[in-house]
Amino acid sequence: MAYQLYRNTTLGNSLQESLDELIQGSLNTYRFCDNVWTFVLNDVEFREVTELIKVDKVKIVACDGKNTGSNTAE
Amino acid sequence: MDQNNSLPPYAQGLASPQGAMTPGIPIFSPMMPYGTGLTPQPVQSTSSLSILEEQQRQQQQQQQQQQQQQQQQQQQQAAQQSTSQQATQGTSGQTPQLFHSQTLTTAPLPGTTPLYPSPMTPMTPITPATPASESSGIVPQLQNIVSTVNLGCKLDLKTIALRARNAEYNPKRFAAVIMRIREPRTTALIFSSGKMVCTGAKSEEQSRLAARKYARVVQKLGFPAKFLDFKIQNMVGSCDVKFPIRLEGLVLTHQQFSSYEPELFPGLIYRMIKPRIVLLIFVSGKVVLTGAKVRAEIYEAFENIYPILKGFRKTT
């Protein structure tokens, strides 16, 4: 019975990966529902070759795509 | 195991003194009846899911346990003082006093039950037949606790996934919401039946506290969540014996308990019968223990395996 519980947890990805990101301080929250990922990040640096943008809060909404995934950042 | 047979003849007269203290099992001692005057344990299923109350309850339990331990130690000392008088009167040998001092030093770990039931006399050894062997001095550390609880109401998983933070719900892959909290760092699987699995905690109390926090999250989303039948299902511990081990030798002598297939898995899988614990033993000397329902089983299993491992220490 205990082993069945273990199998369920490995299926459910209880690997604390998301929490490790939380501990590093960047990821505030995450959500996955209806195949849509929603992340809220804090204190983010967007770095391009020429430009550097610093933001207090970023919300990323990501869906699965056939060819390209669609990303919106507010 | 046959401690009564090993009693020397002069000590058998002391085998069943009336009203003697038995430091081995405090529960059966007349000085320590099962229901003491201490505050009884609080009711397990409280209606409130308040985290503050849960933490206070845990602190109270710890204080009670400390008080009980102090009382047990005082009674053991009192018992041994009174029985040491009997020992000096009735016997001439040094042996009873040797065993006597053994009972003073080998206090059971908190939460353990003695491996051998103690006879009525304090003269016979309470420790197993080799009084010269000491405990390993190594304490396995708990790494993971898996527990379950019933929230007592049907849940709408989509609502929970959309409104709660740090939740995943992919019904095509797995029919539960996977939620995580930071403190204690745990993961919960929440099912539509209202049942929940909580994994990742490092102690029993943390597991219970985390489960209560998840229940509170569900409650705040509007579901009439309760906290029924919390039970720890599995505990995992690990430790290091600090010397390399000859796994090949171990599997040869303990083949009814061991399975070792280095091409499949580098560790030896030792299935201990009593307590029913599975140990993964590695060449490096690291040991993983799993399958326990209570902490004492982990400690007991390690104390059982340690002398065996010492016998298979690699000398090169």
Side-chain angles (χ1 to χ4, degrees):
Chain A
M1 178 66 178
Y3 298 98
Q4 283 179 5
L5 284 171
Y6 257 157
R7 252 180 262 135
N8 284 340
T9 56
T10 49
L11 268 177
N13 278 340
S14 64
L15 282 179
Q16 318 293 343
E17 288 160 355
S18 304
L19 274 180
D20 289 338
E21 282 191 52
L22 276 165
I23 286 173
Q24 282 167 20
S26 198
L27 178 66
N28 194 332
T29 61
Y30 64 89
R31 175 177 293 116
F32 181 69
C33 194
D34 292 330
N35 271 335
V36 177
W37 277 103
T38 308
F39 299 100
V40 177
L41 307 171
N42 290 119
D43 298 327
V44 185
E45 273 182 17
F46 290 95
R47 196 171 288 130
E48 211 187 347
V49 187
T50 49
E51 266 188 59
L52 178 66
I53 306 169
K54 287 196 181 171
V55 196
D56 276 342
K57 179 179 168 187
V58 170
K59 184 182 228 177
I60 299 176
V61 182
C63 311
D64 261 357
K66 289 277 183 182
N67 296 319
T68 50
S70 65
N71 291 312
T72 356
E74 302 165 38
Chain B
M1 298 222 210
D2 294 324
Q3 287 163 348
N4 285 327
N5 293 341
S6 69
L7 265 184
Y10 54 77
Q12 286 190 349
L14 297 163
S16 55
Q18 311 279 342
M21 318 293 186
T22 57
I25 304 179
I27 293 174
F28 298 131
S29 161
M31 290 287 286
M32 186 77 178
Y34 191 55
T36 66
L38 291 176
T39 325
Q41 295 291 329
V43 177
Q44 290 296 320
S45 56
T46 58
S47 53
S48 162
L49 288 170
S50 160
I51 302 305
L52 194 58
E53 283 184 21
E54 173 72 17
Q55 288 173 329
Q56 287 171 353
R57 190 184 72 82
Q58 288 181 7
Q59 283 176 3
Q60 280 175 7
Q61 278 188 348
Q62 286 173 4
Q63 287 169 4
Q64 285 172 8
Q65 284 172 5
Q66 286 170 4
Q67 286 172 5
Q68 285 179 3
Q69 284 174 8
Q70 285 172 5
Q71 287 195 1
Q72 285 177 11
Q73 286 171 6
Q74 287 169 6
Q75 285 155 13
Q76 283 182 12
Q77 289 170 5
Q80 280 144 3
Q81 281 172 9
S82 66
T83 50
S84 68
Q85 293 169 1
Q86 291 179 8
T88 50
Q89 287 171 8
T91 72
S92 59
Q94 295 171 338
T95 353
Q97 289 178 1
L98 214 185
F99 292 145
H100 195 60
S101 66
Q102 281 288 322
T103 60
L104 271 171
T105 53
T106 56
L109 289 168
T112 58
T113 57
L115 284 174
Y116 303 88
S118 82
M120 295 306 273
T121 171
M123 309 284 277
T124 54
I126 303 217
T127 53
T130 52
S133 72
E134 51 198 29
S135 75
S136 62
I138 305 171
V139 181
Q141 297 302 308
L142 290 180
Q143 301 294 347
N144 184 23
I145 314 260
V146 178
S147 59
T148 55
V149 71
N150 186 2
L151 301 178
C153 63
K154 294 271 177 284
L155 302 174
D156 180 14
L157 297 186
K158 193 144 165 199
T159 310
I160 295 175
L162 283 173
R163 294 173 56 198
R165 292 167 173 244
N166 302 325
E168 294 168 46
Y169 181 45
N170 194 358
K172 291 186 303 190
R173 200 158 59 113
F174 189 55
V177 167
I178 301 151
M179 197 183 297
R180 293 183 175 88
I181 57 174
R182 297 170 222 222
E183 182 54 51
R185 194 150 75 95
T186 50
T187 303
L189 307 176
I190 305 172
F191 294 85
S192 54
S193 62
K195 295 204 174 155
M196 181 171 76
V197 180
C198 175
T199 66
K202 300 282 192 198
S203 83
E204 305 91 318
E205 292 306 329
Q206 281 187 10
S207 190
R208 194 190 175 90
L209 182 65
R212 284 199 105 101
K213 288 192 178 181
Y214 290 113
R216 187 117 148 281
V217 169
V218 170
Q219 192 185 56
K220 284 193 169 169
L221 290 177
F223 298 94
K226 299 181 265 298
F227 199 75
L228 309 172
D229 306 321
F230 175 82
K231 183 178 177 200
I232 289 175
Q233 302 287 354
N234 188 26
M235 302 174 71
V236 181
S238 72
C239 56
D240 187 2
V241 300
K242 302 280 201 302
F243 54 79
I245 303 170
R246 285 182 287 119
L247 297 183
E248 198 54 60
L250 180 55
V251 72
L252 284 173
T253 48
H254 289 78
Q255 58 197 82
Q256 68 227 101
F257 307 110
S258 323
S259 75
Y260 177 46
E261 297 281 344
E263 295 177 11
L264 285 182
F265 185 63
L268 186 152
I269 302 165
Y270 192 103
R271 297 181 187 273
M272 195 175 282
I273 309 288
K274 187 182 182 321
R276 204 164 75 89
I277 298 284
V278 175
L279 298 91
L280 305 177
I281 304 166
F282 296 87
V283 176
S284 58
K286 297 250 182 10
V287 179
V288 174
L289 307 95
T290 184
K293 287 279 196 284
V294 290
R295 185 189 284 247
E297 288 174 359
I298 299 261
Y299 294 151
E300 190 185 339
F302 182 68
E303 292 304 316
N304 286 350
I305 202 80
Y306 187 69
I308 298 170
L309 295 181
K310 277 202 290 189
F312 287 97
R313 182 181 191 139
K314 255 194 214 174
T315 46
T316 52

